[in-house]
Amino acid sequence: MARKYFGTDGIRGLANGDKLTPDLALRVGMAAGTKFVRGDHRNRVVIGKDTRRSGYMIEQALTAGFTAVGMDVYLLGPMPTPAVAMLTRSLRADLGVMISASHNPYDDNGIKLFRPDGYKLSDEIELEIERLIDADMTAYLARGRDIGRAHRDEEARTRYIEYAKRTLPRNIDLTGLRVVLDCANGAAYKVAPIALWELGAEVFAIGVEPNGFNINYKVGSTAPEAVAAKVKEVRADIGIALDGDADRVIIIDEKGNVVDGDQLMAVIAESWLERQMLLGGGIVATVMSNLGLERHLMGLGLTLERTQVGDRYVLEAMRAKGFNVGGEQSGHIILSDFTTTGDGLVAALQLLAVLKQKGVPVSDICSRFVKVPQLLRSVRFRSGKPLEHKQVIQAIADGQAMLGETGRLVVRASGTEPVIRVMGEADDAGLVEKVVGQVEAAIREVA
């Protein structure tokens, strides 16, 4: 069944646009609250957000919806997405909510929902919530003493900081490390610098001055140039770039070079294999991860389980098949020993632990494999379904035939914006350029 409101990562859209309005947020609160009201205790929901101006509006509308159906609301303020997932479990909440559009521009926003165990909702539950959103919910309204209340949780930030710090291996601290940390003017701008400083690092923080409009703007994991420049300026050992809601991370080595999620997953997999922590005999990644990672893991006797794009699909495969390390090339790293979703800070701490143990530069640690030439292009379209056009279908088939069995071509529609992603990879860089160019041209012609 087609979904009206939920996409691949919750509800997302232009704040006060056609989709994401205070009215919808109010109804989401009522519908989700109705679905997760259970037992005879005071049901509770935790709500976190990033730093977008529209977060205030959506937060208040959600709060009204939840309290209207009898749920008590714990407002966390600016808080990373993984922190909301963790605090949902820690506070024994019946539901968790994150208000964020992740790496999107400030004028977008979104609503992500978490179950009591900290995992994202299933497609089936999202469909049930959608049905309630469009229904008459008058019968579900609480009355009198049953109406919920809301208050700010001032201790939540400290809870998450201590939780993150405990994921660092015992007997390791970060004393002596010079770390540039870019919080993207987003959700982690308070908690991440404190956590690294308390662990002993010398922290040079950028992207920690949010004003409601500058989240992800020329900072963060989608604009690593800012971190790279700062690393060179202060001669740091490492740069860490989070995105707007801090569920993904990109690393910058001491030379200013970008290290993506594939290399980071390789480092963590090897480290956990050495420490006898790695489960499942390998890791889980998406179809976008580089073929070089797969070959590297094979050399270690490990497997690479591929899924469709989206951290929820990575997590589903991890849970179903017993893996505890997974993620995406874009920097969503899921370490299920610690988290139920991607956590940029926790993933970075695993690399920092290796850095302290090995005593060699990040450029050495994070060069685990040689990348197979890979090219990713994005084509924006206004409307329609370009991937169903005959011309595009034929171009994709021709491209796959040209790459043969030694290369890969992945063409997909983004789940969060009107964009088609075209990714090709093979040992022959020229062939990749030709194939991706042909498919891109075909899409542009019909889009």
Side-chain angles (χ1 to χ4, degrees):
M1 183 184 298
R3 297 192 292 181
K4 181 177 179 180
Y5 301 110
F6 286 92
T8 57
D9 194 18
I11 298 170
R12 189 177 297 187
L14 179 67
N16 278 344
D18 294 338
K19 187 175 184 180
L20 190 58
T21 63
D23 179 64
L24 176 64
L26 171 70
R27 298 190 66 80
V28 168
M30 293 174 66
T34 297
K35 178 64 183 175
F36 283 88
V37 167
R38 52 190 185 144
D40 56 3
H41 62 281
R42 292 293 301 183
N43 295 110
R44 56 173 62 177
V45 54
V46 297
I47 301 179
K49 62 181 180 179
D50 62 26
T51 57
R52 297 163 209 268
R53 175 65 62 87
S54 58
Y56 292 99
M57 172 185 75
I58 296 169
E59 178 185 57
Q60 295 302 315
L62 283 168
T63 298
F66 284 121
T67 54
V69 295
M71 294 195 91
D72 289 343
V73 177
Y74 288 71
L75 298 170
L76 308 178
M79 193 70 70
T81 289
V84 173
M86 183 277 291
L87 288 162
T88 301
R89 303 191 312 274
S90 177
L91 295 171
R92 292 187 66 184
D94 300 282
L95 187 66
V97 183
M98 179 64 183
I99 303 168
S100 175
S102 189
H103 59 281
N104 284 25
Y106 83 89
D107 46 358
D108 285 346
N109 217 325
I111 301 172
K112 303 180 187 182
L113 302 175
F114 295 94
R115 301 178 337 203
D117 57 6
Y119 289 100
K120 293 179 180 178
L121 305 188
S122 66
D123 291 342
E124 292 74 21
I125 293 178
E126 288 181 346
L127 283 171
E128 290 179 32
I129 292 173
E130 287 204 348
R131 179 183 61 79
L132 287 168
I133 288 173
D134 289 334
D136 181 357
M137 287 183 282
T138 304
Y140 299 108
L141 294 177
R143 301 288 193 278
R145 294 179 181 272
D146 292 331
I147 294 174
R149 59 168 296 208
H151 64 88
R152 295 278 170 188
D153 188 335
E154 303 296 343
E155 299 179 357
R157 191 182 309 153
T158 301
R159 279 179 180 254
Y160 175 70
I161 290 170
E162 290 303 315
Y163 148 82
K165 286 162 58 179
R166 287 196 298 271
T167 66
L168 200 67
R170 290 185 178 183
N171 303 319
I172 291 180
D173 62 35
L174 306 182
T175 302
L177 289 182
R178 293 167 62 84
V179 180
V180 173
L181 174 65
D182 183 350
C183 296
N185 290 317
Y189 82 100
K190 289 185 177 180
V191 295
I194 293 173
L196 292 179
W197 183 84
E198 289 184 353
L199 286 167
E202 184 179 2
V203 181
F204 301 87
I206 63 175
V208 289
E209 298 178 349
N211 61 16
F213 311 110
N214 60 359
I215 186 170
N216 300 315
Y217 182 67
K218 296 184 178 180
V219 287
S221 63
T222 54
E225 301 82 10
V227 182
K230 192 67 175 181
V231 166
K232 293 178 181 179
E233 176 191 336
V234 302
R235 298 183 181 181
D237 298 299
I238 188 173
I240 299 169
L242 305 173
D243 71 335
D245 69 335
D247 65 351
R248 70 168 70 179
V249 62
I250 292 295
I251 300 298
I252 309 297
D253 69 20
E254 78 285 356
K255 300 176 183 178
N257 299 316
V258 175
V259 177
D260 65 17
D262 284 349
Q263 293 284 2
L264 183 52
M265 282 189 286
V267 172
I268 294 173
E270 286 189 50
S271 173
W272 284 26
L273 182 63
E274 292 174 2
R275 295 164 57 195
Q276 299 183 333
M277 289 177 57
L278 190 67
L279 302 179
I283 69 173
V284 179
T286 74
V287 292
M288 303 299 285
S289 279
N290 194 274
L291 188 58
L293 172 62
E294 187 170 352
R295 293 173 178 174
H296 174 69
L297 293 172
M298 288 177 60
L300 298 173
L302 302 174
T303 61
L304 177 63
E305 182 83 14
R306 290 189 185 270
T307 72
Q308 61 180 303
V309 173
D311 60 323
R312 65 184 296 173
Y313 303 112
V314 172
L315 183 57
E316 286 174 4
M318 291 172 65
R319 298 184 72 192
K321 301 182 180 181
F323 294 90
N324 62 346
V325 175
E328 297 185 276
Q329 187 184 65
S330 61
H332 279 119
I333 309 297
I334 304 173
L335 307 175
S336 60
D337 284 9
F338 306 127
T339 68
T340 57
T341 187
D343 191 319
L345 176 59
V346 169
L349 287 173
Q350 298 306 302
L351 174 58
L352 290 170
V354 176
L355 184 59
K356 286 288 289 188
Q357 289 170 328
K358 301 293 186 182
V360 297
V362 175
S363 57
D364 289 344
I365 293 172
C366 291
S367 299
R368 309 319 303 159
F369 61 88
V370 177
K371 288 185 177 183
V372 171
Q374 186 183 83
L375 182 61
L376 174 64
R377 297 268 176 81
S378 297
V379 184
R380 187 169 293 274
F381 63 96
R382 294 183 179 179
S383 61
K385 298 180 179 180
L387 293 184
E388 296 180 7
H389 196 283
K390 290 182 179 180
Q391 184 176 335
V392 175
I393 293 173
Q394 186 60 53
I396 293 172
D398 292 344
Q400 289 172 332
M402 292 170 66
L403 291 175
E405 296 182 358
T406 59
R408 295 191 310 124
L409 177 64
V410 178
V411 184
R412 68 178 187 88
S414 169
T416 58
E417 53 185 331
V419 167
I420 305 284
R421 315 281 189 197
V422 183
M423 188 279 285
E425 65 176 355
D427 292 312
D428 186 339
L431 178 60
V432 172
E433 178 78 37
K434 181 178 181 180
V435 168
V436 171
Q438 289 179 350
V439 175
E440 179 188 15
I443 295 173
R444 289 191 185 281
E445 187 169 334
V446 303

